[in-house]
Amino acid sequence: MQEQLDELREHEAATGSPTQRTSVMTHVAWAPPEWVDTARRTLAGLEERHPSRTILLFPEPKKPDAIQTTVSMQCFAMPGVSHDVCSEVIELRLGGERVHAPASIVQPLLIADLPTFLRWRGEPPWGAPELDQLAGVCDRLVIDSSEWSRPKVSYAELARFFDRIAVSDIAWGRGRAWRGRLAELWPGIAKLEKLSVTGPRADALLLAGWLRARLKRDVELVHRSGDELTRVAVDGEAVRPPLGPAPTASDLLSAELDDFGRDPVYEAALRAAAA
Amino acid sequence: MTELENPLLEGLRLRRRPEPCAVVIFGASGDLTQRKLFPALYALAARRLLPEEFGIVGVARTEQTSKQWAAAMEKAVKAHARDEFDRETWGSIAEGMYYVATDFADDEGQDAVVACLNKLDEERGTAGNRLYYLAVPPAAFRTIVNELGERRGSEGWTRLIVEKPFGHDHASAQELNAALLQHFREDEVFRIDHYLGKETVQNMLALRFANGIFEPIWNRQFIDHVQITVAESLGVEGRAAFYERAGAIRDIFQNHLLQLVALTAMEPPIDFTADSVRNEKVKVLRSLHTPGPKSVVRGQYGRGFIEGEEVPGYREEEGVAPDSTTDTFVAAKLYVDNWRWADTPFYVRAGKRLPRRETTIAIQFQRAPHPPFAEIAGDGLRPNVLLIHVQPDEGVALAIGAKVPGQGMSIRTVHMNFLYGGAFRAGLPEAYERLILDAMLGDATLFTRADEVDEQWSLVDTIVAAWRRDRPVFPNYEAGTWGPRSADELVHRDGRSWRRH
């Protein structure tokens, strides 16, 4: 793989405009078959903002024992910069038993001294060796709990990871602007009884969990399903929606990749949501 | 209940967003407003960094209606903004825009401005908070400041952004300061030097004070000298009337160049508050040894070629006197007389019609004391240079010697590059975006304080006084070259040379 990357770099240097290879992190993405297209789409909007070495892991346990690799360079023109900026994308199809030993495959490819983010598409297989191993070699686990079928139950599983690896939840990021709006209601919101949320189940659970944890009181959640967070009401009164369009999937992932440490407010909100 | 007691704010990391306010731009039909201010306001609106309760009042002599002015500004945003035009974003600004056509000294006109502001308070909830932007020639400053002072309201805050040039010499700068302080407190005055709003200039502070490896060697023991270049390939571009009076020394040296020297040489501030940073910068400016006549070189360009195209000499430019003695180039050897920098020269140069546009700070380190392969390494063995590209290609490069692969021990200088736009999100914010936002937030860290301006003018006055005693032979450099021969000699005398790339 390293040789293929070297060849690509030489090729870029010999044929293209002046380029510069830049990485601010290694971005590992675990994408089961049903998430492959979505993962690629999100990546397309991300690389310009977070030049990184991206390692896409596609688990294919029913296929024969093998690793198939595809290596490519993605180059972008940057405003005000005379060089194109290039990032490396390594796609690994892990067949058969290789699915269960991803850390040993990924570790030689991580860029030393830069943070490694692990984006896990769908619900992680709690207790499975691939999750444990990758959590052991990465600095931050990024999930989107709205991709899970029963988030409330799984939050307890996720909470067990907090002492092992910093966790980001895109569902939590999606609610940031709404949390800002709710914070503006202080001190009137201090005695909140009932929170009504229209949007993904996970987003609603986390918003209610956050209020329970921060206000230190029980808050009843009334949830109406929706693809996006569109309405929040406090004791029956609608909250003024945040300005502007909702952030895209790439925006949300990009924002999570700006964080490095643990987020105690999120951890408390998640625990309160699971309770 | 205070914000601190609000438990919902913890960890929220809300972006800095200013309080409700109205921005009043004097010089609202001018070039700066169209090219810089409105594109900056639009960029802030696009990132939702403006307050929701916001309005803009434009003031200028040009006769036009609010609607016509808004249309002109929309056109300017489409032409100069760094973001694609979005009608909804523009609408959020345009619905709170008023224009007042008036002479700045006209009482009725100024009353009309106050009426517009009161209307914005009522309609848009701007709460009496005012940010005045003086994008006007210096001659108009005093009139506007007096008019504003007399009409100052009792509600909300008032801040004033003053464009450069801040005075023409030390005396006029002091007069201007006195006029400002008659009506405004120092913490209400924001003297803009847009260089300080550039990310790469601020990155100088990060580079020096957020990294453990540089500060221990950032002194006379390890640094041989510093070179700062502010080069433009453009000529006067329609600014002849201003430039004839200012020259390179007042246009660039007095402000941008001396600020870059101060940021390069300053001691670590105790924190990043406005006064801490500015206290350290002013110490450097006070420590600058007044250069003797032999340590300053001035020049003026004649005809020459820029990017293959023949360009006229300065004296042939429209609006320039045929016997003009205005400097379009200045170079100087400066010394910062303090413990850290004693005897370490800072070579600085700024000029027009130089071969290319670039602003760089080059820190040249001492040579390695005893390289064991000096004889066989040949000419490749050069001192390390830390190069800070302020513009273009913003970033930092470190020149190091590396072995050329193969037999023997040939050494070649290679660059380790950090490219700002490559490592971080696309599109660096324009300096004016940062500075206007900071002024709305009341953060004066990146604005120059009165005592800094004082020190800068004191130095320039001394240099200009010496120039009055002789008559230069101009033009003395061709357009498209790196300035007059005497600029090279200034550095060669010390056994050094300007960086040529």
Side-chain angles (χ1 to χ4, degrees):
Chain A
M1 270 179 271
Q2 197 57 54
E3 278 174 18
Q4 282 185 49
L5 284 170
D6 289 343
E7 277 173 25
L8 278 171
R9 277 177 218 140
E10 280 174 25
H11 180 72
E12 289 286 340
T15 60
S17 57
T19 57
Q20 176 145 359
R21 186 166 54 98
T22 302
S23 294
V24 294
M25 69 178 78
T26 307
H27 170 215
V28 180
W30 180 273
E34 65 272 26
W35 290 103
V36 170
D37 290 341
T38 320
R40 284 207 177 108
R41 275 201 302 277
T42 307
L43 183 67
L46 183 74
E47 282 288 318
E48 284 176 71
R49 286 175 279 187
H50 289 277
S52 54
R53 174 177 286 181
T54 296
I55 305 169
L56 287 169
L57 300 171
F58 301 131
E60 295 174 338
K62 290 180 184 160
K63 292 209 171 160
D65 240 14
I67 305 172
Q68 282 186 323
T69 65
T70 312
V71 178
S72 61
M73 297 271 269
Q74 294 199 355
C75 296
F76 305 94
M78 293 287 179
V81 176
S82 58
H83 301 65
D84 277 1
V85 174
C86 296
S87 297
E88 301 152 341
V89 180
I90 302 167
E91 290 191 8
L92 298 169
R93 293 184 177 278
L94 309 181
E97 285 302 308
R98 304 298 178 106
V99 169
H100 305 302
S104 64
I105 299 163
V106 162
Q107 251 179 322
L109 299 172
L110 303 180
I111 301 176
D113 300 324
L114 291 180
T116 302
F117 287 75
L118 169 61
R119 171 72 174 103
W120 200 285
R121 301 304 308 228
E123 182 163 352
W126 310 111
E130 52 267 37
L131 176 63
D132 276 351
Q133 285 177 23
L134 287 174
V137 298
C138 295
D139 299 300
R140 189 170 198 92
L141 171 65
V142 183
I143 44 94
D144 183 348
S145 59
S146 68
E147 293 172 353
W148 305 353
S149 53
R150 293 190 307 156
K152 189 170 179 177
V153 177
S154 300
Y155 282 159
E157 297 284 352
L158 181 61
R160 290 193 189 103
F161 273 78
F162 288 160
D163 288 331
R164 289 186 57 195
I165 184 170
V167 175
S168 277
D169 188 341
I170 285 171
W172 174 250
R174 214 164 19 237
R176 179 172 290 139
W178 282 102
R179 293 199 298 280
R181 283 297 194 217
L182 288 165
E184 288 170 8
L185 302 179
W186 179 265
I189 198 172
K191 302 279 183 235
L192 169 71
E193 300 280 338
K194 188 170 82 177
L195 179 76
S196 308
V197 179
T198 305
R201 172 98 181 132
D203 301 29
L205 285 169
L206 289 171
L207 218 44
W210 171 66
L211 287 167
R212 282 176 203 136
R214 303 311 310 160
L215 300 176
K216 295 188 171 44
R217 59 185 287 114
D218 195 24
V219 174
E220 182 193 348
L221 171 65
V222 179
H223 172 240
R224 286 185 66 179
S225 214
D227 290 339
E228 285 181 10
L229 266 177
T230 51
R231 184 177 183 276
V232 174
V234 167
D235 289 330
E237 195 161 327
V239 176
R240 195 161 53 118
L243 286 178
T248 65
S250 297
D251 292 338
L252 289 162
L253 178 54
S254 178
E256 297 307 320
L257 299 184
D258 282 332
D259 290 333
F260 294 97
R262 287 176 66 165
D263 180 352
V265 176
Y266 164 67
E267 291 178 5
L270 181 127
R271 287 194 168 103
Chain B
M1 290 281 181
T2 65
E3 279 199 348
L4 281 176
E5 292 165 317
N6 182 348
L8 301 180
L9 288 177
E10 189 178 332
L12 205 51
R13 287 178 302 152
L14 293 173
R15 285 187 293 186
R16 299 191 310 164
R17 204 161 186 190
E19 294 172 321
C21 67
V23 173
V24 184
I25 303 173
F26 288 91
S29 56
D31 201 45
L32 180 74
T33 304
Q34 297 189 39
R35 284 178 175 275
K36 297 293 180 188
L37 304 188
F38 260 87
L41 288 166
Y42 179 82
L44 293 173
R47 286 155 189 78
R48 300 200 283 278
L49 291 170
L50 292 179
E52 284 173 41
E53 302 83 3
F54 181 70
I56 307 173
V57 179
V59 189
R61 291 195 184 96
T62 311
E63 281 297 336
Q64 58 184 333
T65 63
S66 292
K67 204 172 169 184
Q68 287 167 326
W69 180 61
M73 294 306 111
E74 180 180 335
K75 201 172 156 192
V77 165
K78 283 175 179 166
H80 303 296
R82 68 185 174 107
D83 303 296
E84 271 189 35
F85 187 79
D86 172 66
R87 188 142 298 282
E88 195 182 331
T89 303
W90 174 249
S92 70
I93 300 178
E95 62 193 18
M97 278 173 67
Y98 291 101
Y99 180 82
V100 177
T102 179
D103 187 279
F104 301 132
D106 179 23
D107 279 344
E108 276 182 34
Q110 295 308 322
D111 289 341
V113 173
V114 174
C116 282
L117 287 168
N118 291 339
K119 206 167 164 186
L120 283 174
D121 284 345
E122 279 172 29
E123 291 174 356
R124 311 272 300 177
T126 46
N129 295 327
R130 314 282 187 243
L131 176 64
Y132 295 102
Y133 200 118
L134 272 56
V136 292
F141 282 0
R142 185 186 290 262
T143 310
I144 296 172
V145 166
N146 286 337
E147 294 283 352
L148 293 179
E150 284 166 15
R151 287 168 177 77
R152 193 177 168 148
S154 54
E155 276 184 30
W157 48 255
T158 300
R159 293 176 194 136
L160 193 66
I161 299 181
V162 186
E163 262 293 335
K164 84 171 180 84
F166 194 80
H168 183 73
D169 53 20
H170 193 208
S172 61
Q174 282 190 317
E175 277 174 32
L176 193 51
N177 263 333
L180 282 168
L181 296 177
Q182 243 184 317
H183 301 288
F184 301 95
R185 297 189 312 268
E186 173 62 29
D187 66 350
E188 293 175 323
V189 181
F190 292 72
R191 297 171 195 82
I192 206 164
D193 181 334
H194 74 269
Y195 259 53
L196 298 181
K198 289 179 181 289
E199 287 289 334
T200 33
V201 172
Q202 294 160 50
N203 188 46
M204 170 64 104
L205 298 174
L207 184 80
R208 288 189 56 195
F209 306 130
N211 295 293
I213 61 168
F214 293 119
E215 206 47 29
I217 56 170
W218 206 266
N219 56 51
R220 65 189 299 274
Q221 279 178 288
F222 295 93
I223 291 175
D224 179 73
H225 70 276
V226 176
Q227 288 189 20
I228 303 180
T229 300
V230 180
E232 297 171 275
S233 57
L234 294 175
V236 285
E237 309 295 312
R239 293 169 70 220
F242 160 74
Y243 205 83
E244 273 283 86
R245 294 191 66 232
I249 195 154
R250 293 185 180 88
D251 188 35
I252 302 289
F253 182 94
Q254 183 270 340
N255 37 73
H256 304 330
L257 251 180
L258 290 180
Q259 283 292 321
L260 293 180
V261 170
L263 286 167
T264 308
M266 69 190 266
E267 295 297 316
I270 53 167
D271 53 35
F272 199 58
T273 58
D275 274 337
S276 297
V277 173
R278 297 190 297 182
N279 285 345
E280 297 307 331
K281 279 198 297 165
V282 82
K283 280 185 208 166
V284 173
L285 296 168
R286 279 188 193 134
S287 309
L288 282 174
H289 186 88
T290 305
K294 283 187 177 170
S295 295
V296 185
V297 165
R298 58 175 160 159
Q300 187 192 80
Y301 63 84
R303 296 182 77 79
F305 289 85
I306 297 283
E307 292 177 5
E309 191 180 326
E310 188 167 17
V311 294
Y314 178 70
R315 287 175 175 176
E316 300 163 74
E317 302 265 17
E318 199 181 323
V320 173
D323 58 349
S324 171
T325 55
T326 298
D327 50 292
T328 61
F329 177 94
V330 61
K333 178 166 69 166
L334 302 174
Y335 284 104
V336 181
D337 283 345
N338 64 17
W339 189 276
R340 185 190 283 258
W341 294 112
D343 301 325
T344 309
F346 282 64
Y347 299 104
V348 299
R349 59 180 169 170
K352 286 198 171 291
R353 288 290 191 215
L354 300 185
R356 65 168 171 273
R357 171 181 170 256
E358 77 158 57
T359 301
T360 49
I361 302 167
I363 315 291
Q364 181 154 329
F365 292 91
Q366 310 272 10
R367 285 179 180 276
H370 179 67
F373 32 73
E375 283 185 17
I376 50 174
D379 291 341
L381 211 56
R382 290 167 190 272
N384 300 121
V385 179
L386 182 69
L387 194 58
I388 295 147
H389 293 278
V390 176
Q391 63 183 19
D393 279 350
E394 293 87 346
V396 180
L398 180 63
I400 56 168
K403 180 183 174 299
V404 179
Q407 290 193 344
M409 187 49 99
S410 290
I411 306 285
R412 182 80 56 79
T413 298
V414 294
H415 277 171
M416 292 202 298
N417 269 325
F418 151 64
L419 199 56
Y420 223 93
F424 295 109
R425 291 176 185 215
L428 295 180
E430 286 286 328
Y432 279 92
E433 290 170 42
R434 171 68 193 260
L435 294 172
I436 292 172
L437 182 64
D438 278 4
M440 284 184 200
L441 291 160
D443 181 352
T445 308
L446 300 177
F447 293 84
T448 42
R449 206 169 52 188
D451 51 356
E452 291 179 81
V453 176
D454 265 354
E455 295 299 333
Q456 290 169 188
W457 275 123
S458 292
L459 187 75
V460 167
D461 274 9
T462 317
I463 294 171
V464 171
W467 284 355
R468 287 203 189 101
R469 290 194 286 270
D470 67 350
R471 187 147 186 89
V473 182
F474 281 166
N476 59 354
Y477 72 97
E478 280 179 30
T481 65
W482 283 104
R485 192 184 298 269
S486 49
D488 289 333
E489 287 160 6
L490 173 77
V491 182
H492 289 166
R493 279 201 297 270
D494 299 339
R496 301 183 176 103
S497 57
W498 291 107
R499 293 182 54 259
R500 282 285 191 266
H501 310 283

